[in-house]
Amino acid sequence: MPISVNRRQFLRTTVGGTAALAVGATLTACSDDDTAGTPARDDGARPRGGVLRAAFVGGGASEALDHFRGPTPMDFVRARAWHGGLGNLDPTAPDGVRYGVLENIEVSDDLATYVLRVRPGVRFTDGSPVTARDVLYSLAGPARTSPLPVFKMPAANFALDQARVDGDLTLVLPTVRPIADGRLILCQGTYLVVKDGTTTYGPDTPTCGPFRLTRFEPGQGATFVRNDDYYGLALGGGPYLDGLELRSIPAGDARAGALTGGQVDFAHDLPPVAARTLENNPRVVLTPSDSPYLVGLSFRMNMAVPPFDNPQVREAFKLAVDREAMVRTVLFGRGTVGNDLPALGFPDYARGIAQRPHDPDRARQLLRDAGADGLEVTLTTGPETPGMVEAATLYVEDLKKIGVRASLRELPAGQLFADFPAYTRLPLAAGFNVPVPALSSYQTTTAGGAPSALGWNRPDVDALVTEARAQRDPARAADLGTRAQLALWRDGNTVMPVFKPYLNAASPSVVGVADDLYVQFPGFAQAALR
């Protein structure tokens, strides 16, 4: 059933998401719905129908439909609603993944070849079948020119130029080197299928996702209707919704206000303080993500430029941060202390490495030893995810306490990563790590002196990671992986003081969002409204 969305209403509700929390409280207090505060019971028999409205951080007027170049949550979520994915991470599944457009992945005994089987019957919205050639193009074509590190991952692990299409539904991928975790790379939820040769994106672009795009306005949002030819329907699943509205609301408080005011049904990644105000709101169900689906807030030191080419300075900057205080004051207790390594909670995370302490005295001594006492730095940040600016503000104060003349530069929402090459040239920059396994994360962002490594270039550590990922023996892989992470912890350029959950919130009528997996960027294929 086509859904028509009035443009004026769309814009009003999107921009109007800046309504204050108090407005929402007034509106909800006037309702007499006796189901308030009770999460919708999900007994598996989900109703079909309705239009779900959801709010995310977007990139403003610079937003585009080409997700290979979009770094914001809105970019990823919009793409996942529109395009079919290869699969998602699922620790409960036999292969550790739940397949999507792919039916399965076979791995050769020598870990040198992966055979991808495309699910039969998957079609694009123009009626043409999804083939192995489309999958190869999606991995090797526009991904190669993407400025975003995550899209470099397939080419870093598979010899895509030597890939072989065998019939319509089989793609044979040789690996660059033996790897045992290739399924986790290809099915981490990020890799979506576009039609072979696609170079431009608009409402008429053939897609194979759960929804069809009907309207897109940069900085405002997008509307969709259900794709009645989506393969998931034939398998007895979603999409259950008639339509989906995604609204770009950069400010976290405004997303919360839009939810309590009834302007949206789902608000993504709320600030901790806003989440705290909603805890006792009977009209809202707060659903923080669990480990390992946590976001690591970080500060990156560029080792390519002084003073961060000096290991004593880097260690001083790691010892300066008061991690416990950051959890208390920035995250209001809804967080976990970090140890300057990503992927907390994943099986390959190096749990045995000692927790780095808060030691300002030692930090000051290191700076004196390095001849860097009184150095001047600027930390660049932006509100790309709640807590980033607040954490950076507190970190600047911590740096001042060890004698650093530190200052903060805050960019508008959606701009910190918009020019990624410029980001990689910053001397000191805030960032965040989405939840992916540790060694995959290293391969994506750090190995080989990649630009996103900000000057880190350690072939010996790269070799350890490579060897760990080539092990079928979990104990041997863990030993090698821990050695690699220890080197990164000791010599690296990242301060990762805290991890926070995604603090999502929804109306009690919303069910099934988490069943879509990849909770950091939900696609709503399994969501329903009761």
Side-chain angles (χ1 to χ4, degrees):
M1 175 187 297
I3 302 297
S4 176
V5 179
N6 179 279
R7 181 179 186 279
R8 179 175 296 176
Q9 180 185 34
F10 175 75
L11 292 174
R12 184 174 63 245
T13 53
T14 301
V15 178
T18 56
L21 281 166
V23 174
T26 302
L27 291 173
T28 55
C30 296
S31 173
D32 59 359
D33 184 348
D34 59 8
T35 63
T38 303
R41 187 168 60 90
D42 184 11
D43 58 6
R46 295 178 189 173
R48 296 186 184 274
V51 178
L52 189 148
R53 305 156 300 170
F56 293 84
V57 173
S62 63
E63 286 179 17
L65 289 174
D66 182 354
H67 65 279
F68 292 103
R69 299 181 179 280
T72 70
M74 175 62 91
D75 292 308
F76 281 111
V77 171
R78 185 176 56 239
R80 279 171 48 75
W82 197 26
H83 304 288
L86 298 184
N88 291 302
L89 299 178
D90 183 355
T92 67
D95 290 340
V97 301
R98 185 189 301 175
Y99 294 107
V101 169
L102 296 181
E103 189 173 47
N104 63 60
I105 298 176
E106 300 161 10
V107 186
S108 64
D109 290 341
D110 62 0
L111 304 177
T113 304
Y114 280 62
V115 180
L116 283 60
R117 308 285 186 189
V118 178
R119 189 181 298 278
V122 182
R123 292 188 174 278
F124 288 109
T125 48
D126 65 355
S128 60
V130 174
T131 69
R133 193 168 299 283
D134 299 312
V135 173
L136 177 59
Y137 176 76
S138 301
L139 294 172
R144 276 186 167 164
T145 60
S146 169
L148 304 179
V150 66
F151 291 113
K152 308 295 185 187
M153 190 76 165
N157 289 276
F158 298 96
L160 298 177
D161 54 350
Q162 299 173 32
R164 176 169 54 87
V165 173
D166 185 3
D168 288 339
L169 302 179
T170 301
L171 175 61
V172 181
L173 293 181
T175 60
V176 172
R177 63 191 71 83
I179 53 172
D181 58 357
R183 291 189 181 97
L184 304 184
I185 296 168
L186 294 168
C187 296
Q188 60 179 259
T190 305
Y191 304 117
L192 308 174
V193 179
V194 298
K195 193 169 184 175
D196 185 12
T198 299
T199 56
T200 59
Y201 296 86
D204 296 331
T205 300
T207 63
C208 60
F211 297 96
R212 294 173 182 250
L213 180 72
T214 55
R215 176 175 291 133
F216 168 65
E217 297 191 30
Q220 300 296 329
T223 61
F224 300 83
V225 296
R226 183 179 58 241
N227 176 9
D228 289 326
D229 295 324
Y230 182 60
Y231 69 89
L233 290 165
L235 298 175
Y240 298 90
L241 301 166
D242 284 339
L244 177 67
E245 296 179 22
L246 301 179
R247 300 178 181 181
S248 181
I249 304 180
D253 289 346
R255 289 195 298 281
L259 176 63
T260 57
Q263 295 163 315
V264 299
D265 308 295
F266 178 91
H268 182 255
D269 203 11
L270 297 177
V273 65
R276 191 169 65 167
T277 66
L278 298 178
E279 283 178 333
N280 298 316
N281 188 323
R283 298 289 179 174
V284 171
V285 177
L286 194 62
T287 55
S289 61
D290 297 321
S291 175
Y293 301 107
L294 306 174
V295 183
L297 299 182
S298 63
F299 310 107
R300 308 289 309 284
M301 297 172 278
N302 196 330
M303 294 172 64
V305 298
F308 299 118
D309 55 345
N310 187 318
Q312 292 176 306
V313 173
R314 297 198 298 274
E315 184 178 357
F317 272 55
K318 295 171 187 173
L319 292 169
V321 62
D322 187 343
R323 301 161 200 263
E324 297 283 356
M326 199 167 283
V327 170
R328 288 194 309 272
T329 61
V330 174
L331 303 180
F332 293 91
R334 288 184 176 275
T336 303
V337 165
N339 197 24
D340 302 331
L341 293 169
L344 178 67
F346 279 94
D348 61 355
Y349 178 81
R351 295 174 180 78
I353 296 176
Q355 174 64 50
R356 196 184 306 278
H358 174 219
D359 192 342
D361 292 336
R362 172 67 177 156
R364 279 189 286 269
Q365 183 61 52
L366 285 166
L367 290 180
R368 284 194 291 270
D369 293 347
D373 194 18
L375 72 87
E376 183 173 357
V377 297
T378 298
L379 171 60
T380 302
T381 188
E384 307 304 317
T385 189
M388 274 187 73
V389 173
E390 295 83 353
T393 302
L394 190 60
Y395 186 45
V396 164
E397 296 305 311
D398 285 338
L399 292 175
K400 290 178 180 177
K401 292 174 183 174
I402 64 168
V404 175
R405 292 183 292 160
S407 60
L408 192 68
R409 173 184 175 230
E410 180 183 347
L411 300 179
Q415 298 306 304
L416 183 61
F417 307 117
D419 183 350
F420 196 77
Y423 174 81
T424 64
R425 293 192 294 271
L426 292 171
L428 180 62
F432 69 94
N433 285 61
V434 297
V436 294
L439 300 187
S440 298
S441 175
Y442 182 92
Q443 191 80 52
T444 304
T445 63
T446 313
S452 56
L454 272 67
W456 169 271
N457 191 357
R458 286 282 296 271
D460 58 324
V461 180
D462 296 355
L464 283 172
V465 172
T466 297
E467 190 176 354
R469 296 183 59 213
Q471 299 299 316
R472 286 188 180 276
D473 177 2
R476 176 64 174 159
D479 175 63
L480 292 164
T482 297
R483 289 164 55 191
Q485 290 174 78
L486 180 59
L488 192 63
W489 178 86
R490 184 186 58 233
D491 304 328
N493 57 352
T494 298
V495 184
M496 192 170 292
V498 293
F499 285 80
K500 65 164 191 131
Y502 286 94
L503 294 173
N504 300 331
S507 157
S509 64
V510 176
V511 295
V513 174
D515 292 349
D516 200 36
L517 301 179
Y518 207 50
V519 293
Q520 56 267 45
F521 302 122
F524 299 104
Q526 305 304 320
L529 290 170
R530 291 184 182 274

